[in-house]
């Protein structure tokens, strides 16, 4: 990483600011960078002054007496990246510096996605506030979380009206305690047994408090379109905005049909429905092995064989973690079956019987990922987190800037930054983040547009990205000179409730 000596000196100076007493925050100036303000407007040469936790001035500025100056020549200054789908729920407690996250320029994490959230929300957020991290934290309230609280182990059925009402009351409680909306994971076990009606009822509770519905939809395979229809219907009947999590088409039966999905969502948007989606920039997903078989017939060789064929073959499914068989990690189902001398369907049954496994499925098409990414309503989100064994956990945001913008020219740098900042800020109802303007909170990322790139791979998923030179959270540097500064200025961001 090439950094000018001036920048190094300036960054070193910022260290001093980070170490200074918090009650007397000095101002500092980031000068000479080109600013991507988060709105998608063209890059503009401007200096940015930060005082305390806010941006106070933007324009042609000269340093005040004794003011620290960070030189940003050849660099781009953007608002901090907001990751609306992040699985650091547990990792933050043990790794509050969140190196894999801040090294990507992420300054705010939204937790509680895929239907699973911390609970109770208030207790969790209070804990986060007491032991701050380097990043800001927000959460959703999880559908499977409240479903489990109400139905316990007896969840493999539709809920009764009484149970649905109890769940709705818990969603209300979660929203009052600061959640931003309702999340669901309908491809996963607990959520999968719920009816559309149950989700509509819970959505209405979230809607009352200004929340939105975020869904890992019921099917990301052959029934993707039915699942999108259901998500749109829940949002419409629930009376709240929709975000489709990690939009994808992950089986041969729907490969190449991203334009049809886009048309479906565009049509809803044209009728006034508030719909967004987020997408991680990879052709491979990461989940538990059971999601491969939508009919849940894990011990039926025919069902499993069909499921494996649908994703392009057993060699496309790699185990990342398996408690019962740790030696399987890093190998694909085809390789393991061969070395064990059994069929891939026998292997699948064995793994599920022995407690399951986490897998990566290389089963999306580049053209579909690209088509989704080009849509103005698609946000960048990682579906990763602090300790995730998929390269998206450490590489998502630099990958979009380096590969999608610089190498593939899928869209402009300014548009990429918008997808990482003001678009997710609007989705999360954050009025004072996601843009560079006077009065906004000083969450900032200074990066080199010529070198920014992800380095995490499927073999080495936590390898840190390059080209993110400086990350500021609430006015304090958290990442500089290629490492965390040790500062933990992150805050809990709760929804504002009437
Ligand atoms: Zn998911």
């Amino acid at each position: 990483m090439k950094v000018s000596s001036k920048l190094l000196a300036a960054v070193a100076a910022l260290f001093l600011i980070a170490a200074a007493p918090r009650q007397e925050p000095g101002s500092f100036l980031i000068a000479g960078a080109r600013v991507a303000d988060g709105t998608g407007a063209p890059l503009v040469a401007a200096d940015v002054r930060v005082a305390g936790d806010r941006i106070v001035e933007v324009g042609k500025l000269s340093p005040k007496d004794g003011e620290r100056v960070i030189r940003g020549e050849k660099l781009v200054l953007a608002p901090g990246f907001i990751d609306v789908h992040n699985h650091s729920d547990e990792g933050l407690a043990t790794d509050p510096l969140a190196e894999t996250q801040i090294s990507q320029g992420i300054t705010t994490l939204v937790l509680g996605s895929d239907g699973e959230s911390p609970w109770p929300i208030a207790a969790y957020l209070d804990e986060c506030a007491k032991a701050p991290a380097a990043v800001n934290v927000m959460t959703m309230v999880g559908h499977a979380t409240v479903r489990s609280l109400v139905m316990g182990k007896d969840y493999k059925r539709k809920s009764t009206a009484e149970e649905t009402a109890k769940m709705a009351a818990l969603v209300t409680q979660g929203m009052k305690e600061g959640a931003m909306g309702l999340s669901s994971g309908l491809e996963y076990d607990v959520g999968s047994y719920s009816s559309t009606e149950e989700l509509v009822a819970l959505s209405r509770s979230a809607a009352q408090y200004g929340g939105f519905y975020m869904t890992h939809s019921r099917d990301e395979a052959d029934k993707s379109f039915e699942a999108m229809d259901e998500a749109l219907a829940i949002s419409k009947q629930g009376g709240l905005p929709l975000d489709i999590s990690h939009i994808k088409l992950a089986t041969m039966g729907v490969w190449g049909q991203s334009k049809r999905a886009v048309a479906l969502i565009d049509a809803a948007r044209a009728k006034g429905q508030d719909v967004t989606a987020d997408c991680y920039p990879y052709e491979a997903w990461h989940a538990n092995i059971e999601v491969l078989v939508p009919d849940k017939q894990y011990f039926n060789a025919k069902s499993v064989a069909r499921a494996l064929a649908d994703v392009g073959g057993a060699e496309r499914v790699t185990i990342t973690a398996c408690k019962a068989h740790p030696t399987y990690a890093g190998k694909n189902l085809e390789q393991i079956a061969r070395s064990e001398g059994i069929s891939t369907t026998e292997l699948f049954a064995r793994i599920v019987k022995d407690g399951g496994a986490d897998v990566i499925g290389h089963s999306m098409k580049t053209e579909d990922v690209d088509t989704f990414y080009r849509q103005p309503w698609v946000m960048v989100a990682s579906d990763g987190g602090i300790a995730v064994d998929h390269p998206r956990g450490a590489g998502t945001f630099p990958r979009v800037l380096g590969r999608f913008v610089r190498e593939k020219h899928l869209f402009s740098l300014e548009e990429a930054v918008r997808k990482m900042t003001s678009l997710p800020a609007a989705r999360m109802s954050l009025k004072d983040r996601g843009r560079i303007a006077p009065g906004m909170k000083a969450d900032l990322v200074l990066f080199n547009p010529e070198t920014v790139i992800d380095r995490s791979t499927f073999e080495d998923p936590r390898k840190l990205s390059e080209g993110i030179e400086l990350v500021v959270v609430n006015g304090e540097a958290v990442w500089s000179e290629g490492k965390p500064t040790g500062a933990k200025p992150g805050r809990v961001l709760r929804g504002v409730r009437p």
Side-chain angles (χ1 to χ4, degrees):
M1 180 167 56
K2 267 194 198 153
V3 183
S4 74
S5 56
K6 266 184 181 174
L7 176 72
L8 281 179
V11 168
L14 194 71
F15 256 89
L16 299 174
I17 293 172
R22 289 186 64 174
Q23 58 270 34
E24 286 181 58
S27 69
F28 65 90
L29 198 61
I30 302 178
R34 285 175 297 157
V35 170
D37 72 359
T39 66
L43 288 173
V44 55
D47 310 315
V48 173
R49 174 168 284 125
V50 172
D53 64 356
R54 284 185 190 272
I55 296 164
V56 289
E57 276 182 281
V58 180
K60 183 95 196 79
L61 307 172
S62 351
K64 293 178 178 170
D65 263 359
E67 191 174 47
R68 314 279 180 199
V69 179
I70 296 160
R71 301 304 315 181
E73 275 77 13
K74 300 206 168 98
L75 304 178
V76 168
L77 184 65
F81 304 151
I82 298 167
D83 189 4
V84 299
H85 193 120
N86 192 289
H87 291 291
S88 298
D89 306 40
E90 273 147 35
L92 268 184
T94 49
D95 181 11
L97 297 182
E99 190 178 34
T100 51
Q101 310 302 291
I102 58 175
S103 56
Q104 295 181 61
I106 298 174
T107 55
T108 299
L109 310 180
V110 181
L111 309 173
S113 49
D114 288 330
E116 282 190 50
S117 69
W119 190 268
I121 302 282
Y124 178 79
L125 292 180
D126 287 349
E127 278 305 307
C128 290
K130 256 187 252 158
V135 289
N136 302 311
V137 171
M138 311 180 81
T139 191
M140 305 295 289
V141 51
H143 165 239
T145 300
V146 299
R147 196 166 206 267
S148 291
L149 283 167
V150 171
M151 298 176 76
K153 292 209 162 27
D154 180 24
Y155 64 83
K156 294 193 173 178
R157 58 179 174 82
K158 287 185 179 160
S159 57
T160 64
E162 193 189 338
E163 286 165 337
T164 303
K166 278 187 189 160
M167 287 180 223
L170 290 176
V171 170
T172 299
Q173 181 191 335
M175 292 299 295
K176 281 184 173 168
E177 292 178 359
M180 304 309 297
L182 173 70
S183 83
S184 71
L186 304 184
E187 216 177 17
Y188 294 120
D189 201 30
V190 174
S192 69
Y193 295 94
S194 60
S195 65
T196 303
E197 293 68 37
E198 176 183 315
L199 289 149
V200 169
L202 272 53
S203 289
R204 285 185 178 142
S205 292
Q208 280 187 338
Y209 294 88
F212 72 103
Y213 177 55
M214 171 191 270
T215 184
H216 173 145
S217 66
R218 211 175 282 274
D219 192 293
E220 298 182 326
D222 285 5
K223 291 185 179 145
S224 287
F225 292 99
E226 289 93 322
M228 284 179 203
D229 280 338
E230 184 191 29
L232 288 164
I234 292 165
S235 139
K236 197 170 179 192
Q237 292 168 43
L240 77 183
L242 169 66
D243 181 58
I244 298 176
S245 297
H246 43 60
I247 191 166
K248 66 171 79 77
L249 297 166
T251 45
M252 287 170 104
V254 287
W255 280 350
Q257 296 191 40
S258 45
K259 291 209 171 76
R260 186 179 153 200
V262 166
L264 190 71
I265 293 165
D266 275 343
R269 286 171 57 86
K271 283 187 205 146
Q273 204 171 342
D274 180 356
V275 186
T276 54
D278 57 76
C279 192
Y280 50 78
Y282 296 87
E283 290 89 23
W285 49 265
H286 190 209
N288 62 50
I289 196 166
E290 287 91 345
V291 303
L292 276 163
V293 184
D295 66 8
K296 295 189 163 73
Q297 303 298 305
Y298 313 124
F299 306 103
N300 176 332
K302 251 192 200 163
S303 270
V304 173
R306 193 186 324 118
L308 293 176
D310 280 348
V311 295
E315 71 276 11
R316 286 176 178 262
V317 180
T318 303
I319 307 270
T320 59
C322 180
K323 270 207 189 110
H325 306 280
T327 57
Y328 290 178
K331 301 189 184 93
N332 70 49
L333 294 184
E334 183 71 46
Q335 291 169 322
I336 303 167
R338 215 181 308 125
S339 70
E340 301 269 319
I342 55 177
S343 71
T344 51
T345 55
E346 284 166 336
L347 173 66
F348 190 96
R350 175 192 290 181
I351 292 170
V352 172
K353 188 164 84 24
D354 294 349
D358 289 337
V359 298
I360 283 174
H362 295 263
S363 72
M364 283 96 87
K365 286 280 158 203
T366 306
E367 58 175 287
D368 291 325
V369 177
D370 289 357
T371 299
F372 287 134
Y373 252 98
R374 279 199 204 95
Q375 306 312 313
W377 40 264
V378 169
M379 299 178 274
V380 178
S382 73
D383 192 9
I386 284 174
V388 166
D389 287 326
H390 182 297
R392 69 192 185 207
T396 289
F397 290 79
R399 183 176 178 85
V400 170
L401 293 169
R403 299 186 200 273
F404 285 19
V405 173
R406 187 174 63 241
E407 292 173 6
K408 282 168 53 167
H409 304 290
L410 272 189
F411 37 78
S412 70
L413 179 77
E414 295 90 331
E415 174 64 3
V417 169
R418 187 184 71 85
K419 288 170 172 294
M420 300 172 176
T421 58
S422 72
L423 188 60
R427 179 76 308 154
M428 301 313 301
S429 303
L430 286 171
K431 295 200 164 50
D432 56 359
R433 298 180 197 266
R435 281 187 300 123
I436 292 182
M440 302 295 280
K441 295 287 185 194
D443 291 348
L444 298 163
V445 182
L446 192 60
F447 65 92
N448 187 332
E450 300 302 321
T451 61
V452 64
I453 201 81
D454 58 306
R455 291 293 179 209
S456 53
T457 61
F458 288 98
E459 292 71 36
D460 191 359
R462 299 188 198 179
K463 193 158 185 206
L464 300 185
S465 303
E466 290 173 13
I468 303 286
E469 306 289 343
L470 175 74
V471 180
V472 173
V473 173
N474 295 313
E476 283 191 55
V478 297
W479 174 262
S480 88
E481 295 188 302
K483 58 179 190 292
T485 65
K488 290 180 277 188
R491 292 183 192 158
V492 168
L493 309 178
R494 291 179 170 88
V496 181
R497 302 292 171 241

